[in-house]
Amino acid sequence: MISICIPAYKHVALTHECAQSVLRQDTDLELVVLDDFYLLDQTAENIRQIEALRELLHADRRVKCVSNEKLLPIQDNWNKAVSLCSGSHVKLMGADDNMLPGSVAKMQAMVQAQPAVAFHGHLANLIDAQGKLIRQQKRYGDRFTNRPLTGTEALQGKLRQQVRFKEPACNFFLKCAWEKVGGYDTRFRFVFDVDFNSKLMASSSSMLWNETLVELRRHQNSDGAQLPASLALMDLAGLVEAITQRLGTACTSQDRAAAAGWVQYRLLELLAQRVRSRPLDIAKLLSSNLGLFAKNPASWYWMLKLLAGRALYHDVQQA
């Protein structure tokens, strides 16, 4: 059985929508909802939305609904949500994302086709705050599909931004593999989910599927959008170093250049995001990070590839 877990911190109405999209799946599954709704202002509207959500959840035998008694660090919260799952495979959904119809049945088929694979990745549609389609993620090339990837192949593909083991809603994994690597840890705040992915990829086989199973919501009220730019950049720099260390002797000079180019691209992306919203951050970001562009001249090639992918395809992985 496949377990879908939703750690819900706020956005009650979107959590309701996400849970509905899971419960509409016409197949056997388990839905685990772990919420922190006690932290919300107990306005009449919030109470009404929480009651409506709980009515939906308690009416379905496939649901396990748990409320936290205290606020946990996000990594501990996600680990608790996964620990409550009883299925052999787990998908962690953002409370503001949705599953598309028939997705769990397709996931079950993936598991049956590749029973030895511990970590599966797939595609998503990006939607805005109102649920309107922004774009569809591009398909993977033949080089990364139709076969399990080794740890080295997956990690190198991630450093070079050729594979999309990223958002939790775009992955699912064996619960025993989550246990083996120790789950999500607190080393990173911004990219702890990608760090978890890389630990799984390094220790087991992975599989990429050209199947679109979920909708990822992009909006300014998301938790990630509230984090300071300096933290995002510092976390990413630490992450790429961790991935190169996991590659060990398989890490090439191209891998290191690609890692540096990824960080450089991220700096430019953060600057572009703040031109209108937070212009005062730009000078501070530039002055403290200009040295990134001088460390590894070969990284410019990879940075420009990512910029080209974004400009031409709205997707850095289509460079």
Side-chain angles (χ1 to χ4, degrees):
M1 183 175 65
I2 293 175
S3 295
I4 313 296
C5 61
I6 306 173
Y9 172 56
K10 48 188 177 180
H11 307 306
V12 185
L14 293 179
T15 304
H16 192 138
E17 184 180 332
C18 179
Q20 280 184 315
S21 73
V22 175
L23 295 177
R24 289 194 190 107
Q25 306 292 314
D26 188 20
T27 188
D28 187 33
L29 59 85
E30 176 186 56
L31 172 61
V32 173
V33 178
L34 176 64
D35 74 69
D36 285 312
F37 293 152
Y38 74 95
L39 290 171
L40 297 175
D41 292 336
Q42 297 302 301
T43 63
E45 179 61 16
N46 281 341
I47 292 172
R48 184 193 67 77
Q49 290 182 346
I50 293 170
E51 289 177 348
L53 173 60
R54 291 199 168 134
E55 182 179 352
L56 168 74
L57 298 177
H58 291 310
D60 197 305
R61 62 174 180 79
R62 298 173 294 173
V63 177
K64 183 185 296 183
C65 189
V66 178
S67 296
N68 277 325
E69 296 180 356
K70 63 178 181 179
L71 184 64
L72 299 173
I74 186 170
Q75 299 91 338
D76 293 343
N77 202 46
W78 286 22
N79 283 327
K80 181 177 178 179
V82 175
S83 72
L84 292 169
C85 296
S86 55
S88 61
H89 289 75
V90 177
K91 172 183 279 297
L92 191 147
M93 292 284 294
D96 47 2
D97 300 326
N98 295 323
M99 294 196 77
L100 293 172
S103 294
V104 174
K106 291 179 180 178
M107 290 165 61
Q108 291 170 337
M110 293 170 185
V111 171
Q112 291 171 0
Q114 296 288 345
V117 169
F119 192 46
H120 298 261
H122 57 77
L123 304 177
N125 290 335
L126 272 60
I127 59 174
D128 64 15
Q130 289 72 44
K132 183 179 178 181
L133 179 67
I134 299 173
R135 65 177 174 85
Q136 298 173 319
Q137 289 180 339
K138 303 292 185 180
R139 291 171 61 86
Y140 294 107
D142 292 340
R143 179 185 169 196
F144 291 103
T145 56
N146 305 316
R147 64 179 180 86
L149 302 175
T150 66
T152 296
E153 289 173 318
L155 290 175
Q156 287 178 328
K158 186 60 190 173
L159 280 179
R160 302 177 188 198
Q161 291 295 284
Q162 296 165 325
V163 297
R164 191 179 287 101
F165 289 110
K166 190 179 179 183
E167 296 91 350
C170 283
N171 307 309
F172 67 99
F173 49 85
L174 275 168
K175 185 178 178 182
C176 62
W178 164 82
E179 294 170 343
K180 181 179 178 181
V181 302
Y184 304 95
D185 66 45
T186 56
R187 178 179 178 183
F188 302 109
R189 173 64 179 88
F190 184 76
V191 293
F192 70 90
D193 53 337
V194 189
D195 177 58
F196 167 74
N197 295 351
S198 73
K199 287 192 295 185
L200 267 184
M201 291 188 290
S203 63
S204 57
S205 59
S206 310
M207 189 82 185
L208 286 169
W209 302 87
N210 277 321
E211 293 279 359
T212 302
L213 304 186
V214 298
E215 294 177 324
L216 296 178
R217 195 182 303 268
R218 296 287 187 255
H219 59 109
Q220 288 302 309
N221 292 322
S222 66
D223 293 337
Q226 309 307 313
L227 293 173
S230 56
L231 173 61
L233 197 65
M234 181 176 65
D235 256 20
L236 181 57
L239 172 68
V240 297
E241 181 59 31
I243 295 176
T244 58
Q245 290 175 1
R246 287 174 184 138
L247 275 170
T249 56
C251 186
T252 67
S253 59
Q254 281 197 47
D255 294 328
R256 293 193 179 279
W262 184 7
V263 178
Q264 291 168 359
Y265 167 79
R266 182 58 175 153
L267 172 59
L268 296 178
E269 186 178 49
L270 290 167
L271 291 171
Q273 290 172 357
R274 279 151 179 78
V275 168
R276 293 184 180 178
S277 61
R278 303 177 193 175
L280 295 179
D281 286 357
I282 293 177
K284 184 178 178 181
L285 266 177
L286 270 178
S287 62
S288 58
N289 293 288
L290 275 177
L292 290 174
F293 295 97
K295 286 184 177 180
N296 189 339
S299 64
W300 283 63
Y301 166 78
W302 295 96
M303 177 191 67
L304 291 172
K305 280 192 71 172
L306 299 183
L307 285 172
R310 175 66 69 186
L312 296 174
Y313 308 106
H314 304 289
D315 191 332
V316 296
Q317 292 173 120
Q318 296 297 315

